[in-house]
Amino acid sequence: ALSLEGFFSRPGGQHDLSLFRGLSESDLKDLPSVWHDAALRALQLGEWGGTPRIRTIQTAVLMGLYIQVSSSSGQQGRFLGWAASAYRVAQRMGLHRLGSDPQAMPPDDPALPPGSNAVKREVAVRLWHHLVNIDSWLSDSPVSRCYVRPSFAPAFLNVTNEC
């Protein structure tokens, strides 16, 4: 949904519709919202709020990006909701406690290789850092609060705002 929405939202961009065999431009413009609704339904059926999973955080990040690309102004509340959900899931998984120790691992997750390995750790660490970035962008607004305490921010982000 995000990719196809971005395909049509490029100002003045070339749209090579031959990439989508047999689908009309009208059909293609309707697909992102259909896929978005299907993704929301899949999250509900997967009970995303019950068991913290890496894929839930990844989906929340992508949903936030989709909202930014596909929506007109006034959708900040929807974006904030996804961001807040992603922070809470990540904190429930302990991603904020991984630190710089390369031996510290996130909990096992079906989306990641089992056991101790660099892929598992890096996916978790990078997701957490991305959430810290989102949090710092959102907390620049006087109406938005931040969800992540600055002490959790990695040093390279130089997050100094007080929440």
Side-chain angles (χ1 to χ4, degrees):
L2 177 60
S3 178
L4 193 52
E5 187 68 43
F7 177 79
F8 283 108
S9 66
R10 291 183 294 173
Q14 297 293 324
H15 300 125
D16 182 4
L17 298 178
S18 68
L19 297 170
F20 309 99
R21 297 179 187 121
L23 294 173
S24 69
E25 185 170 355
S26 173
D27 290 339
L28 290 171
K29 286 187 176 183
D30 291 339
L31 278 178
S33 64
V34 171
W35 288 337
H36 175 263
D37 292 346
L40 288 175
R41 184 69 177 138
L43 279 171
Q44 290 169 347
L45 291 172
E47 298 178 353
W48 69 271
T51 303
R53 297 181 190 108
I54 287 290
R55 70 187 91 190
T56 302
I57 301 167
Q58 292 170 322
T59 302
V61 168
L62 291 174
M63 288 289 192
L65 293 172
Y66 176 79
I67 290 166
Q68 289 178 313
V69 170
S70 69
S71 303
S72 58
S73 62
Q75 297 295 317
Q76 183 180 10
R78 285 179 58 209
F79 182 75
L80 290 173
W82 282 112
S85 296
Y87 303 141
R88 296 302 180 234
V89 171
Q91 288 174 330
R92 285 177 56 201
M93 292 184 74
L95 302 190
H96 62 293
R97 293 189 182 111
L98 290 176
S100 59
D101 177 9
Q103 302 305 313
M105 292 289 147
D108 284 334
D109 186 286
L112 300 173
S116 294
N117 60 72
V119 170
K120 180 178 179 178
R121 177 175 166 72
E122 281 302 307
V123 167
V125 167
R126 288 172 191 232
L127 267 175
W128 178 252
H129 288 177
H130 186 71
L131 293 175
V132 170
N133 256 336
I134 290 172
D135 190 53
S136 68
W137 298 331
L138 293 176
S139 64
D140 282 345
S141 165
V143 297
S144 299
R145 60 176 271 224
C146 65
Y147 290 88
V148 181
R149 291 194 305 267
S151 62
F152 291 150
F156 71 87
L157 288 178
N158 194 20
V159 177
T160 58
N161 61 329
E162 290 298 320
C163 298

